């Protein structure tokens, strides 16, 4: 099993460009998450999806949109990138949203916006 | 707004020593805690989950939870250079479910 995969691994964008970060999991998990990680800030939740067909905002959703394409895939879109969105983006999944469950993280996407 | 505080470090300990990592939190509704480890340039991975007051031991790792003081710690005995990483604390509460709020992490350096 590959676990959680993310593409691309690295990306450089110019201000105003758009892009979609892709995430897929093969663990048959119901819940999926998108985080960003800035130096010294820990992980901050952008959006999450408790189950297929549902999405909810996290702590820092502004400037992002998400799509839960199916049970396996959860994408994050930046419509008009800004330098403040320079960060490392992690996708994660867990068995379900209720009850404490381990979250499994993908390898991350390092995004630079110039 | 939940607050989860960790000393950013770096916390430097010699090989073989005990490393003590601390986490304080503001939300009294938090019932249990995750500790994740993150190596430089890698993704976080779960190392401990503690849900009751007192200690939980797993190999060289011991998590200690004091709900009254809103304080949780992670002790690493016989620290090894391979333990050098950033350790992230995340409280869990039933209302938020798995919408975790992570602390900023403590960077641990174990010197040979």
């Amino acid at each position: 099993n590959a676990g959680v995969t993310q593409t691309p691994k690295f990306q450089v964008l110019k201000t105003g460009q758009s892009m979609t970060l892709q995430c897929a999991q093969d663990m048959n998990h119901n819940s999926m998450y998108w985080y960003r990680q800035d130096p010294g800030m820990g992980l901050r939740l952008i959006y999450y999806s408790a189950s297929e067909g549902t999405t909810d905002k996290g702590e820092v959703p502004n400037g992002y949109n998400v799509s839960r394409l199916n049970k396996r895939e959860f994408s994050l879109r930046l419509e008009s990138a800004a330098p403040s969105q320079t960060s490392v983006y992690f996708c994660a999944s867990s068995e379900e949203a209720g009850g404490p469950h381990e979250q499994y993280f993908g390898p991350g996407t390092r995004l630079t916006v110039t | 707004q939940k607050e989860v505080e960790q000393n950013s470090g770096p916390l430097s300990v010699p090989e073989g020593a005990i490393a003590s990592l601390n986490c304080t939190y503001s939300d009294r509704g938090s019932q249990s805690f995750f500790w994740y480890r993150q190596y430089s340039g890698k993704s976080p991975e779960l190392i401990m989950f503690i849900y009751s007051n007192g200690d939980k031991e797993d190999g060289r790792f011991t998590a200690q939870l004091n709900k009254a003081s809103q304080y949780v710690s992670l002790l690493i005995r016989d620290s090894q250079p391979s333990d050098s990483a950033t350790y992230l604390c995340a409280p869990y509460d039933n209302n938020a479910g798995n919408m975790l709020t992570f602390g900023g992490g403590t960077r641990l350096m174990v010197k040979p």
Side-chain angles (χ1 to χ4, degrees), chain A residues 33 37 48 97 99 103 106 110, chain B residues 36 38 41 43 49 92 98-99:
Chain A
Y33 313 82
Q37 186 173 37
Y48 79 104
Q103 293 187 20
R110 283 151 182 77
Chain B
Y36 282 80
Q38 185 175 24
S43 55
F49 174 66
Y92 173 87
N98 279 299
M99 288 179 63

Side-chain angles (χ1 to χ4, degrees), chain A residues 33 35 37 40-45 48 56-59 90 94 96-108 110, chain B residues 1-2 8 32 34 36 38 40-47 49 86 88 92 94 96-105:
Chain A
Y33 313 82
Y35 292 91
Q37 186 173 37
M41 297 283 294
L43 292 158
R44 292 186 291 170
L45 184 66
Y48 79 104
D56 282 288
K57 295 179 180 179
E59 180 185 355
F90 288 102
S94 67
E96 56 186 65
H101 292 283
E102 177 178 1
Q103 293 187 20
Y104 296 82
F105 287 82
R110 283 151 182 77
Chain B
Q1 180 74 19
K2 296 177 185 177
S8 61
S32 50
F34 295 97
Y36 282 80
Q38 185 175 24
S40 181
K42 302 296 184 181
S43 55
E45 56 182 349
L46 181 69
I47 54 169
F49 174 66
T86 296
L88 301 163
Y92 173 87
N94 292 331
N98 279 299
M99 288 179 63
L100 300 179
T101 298
F102 285 85

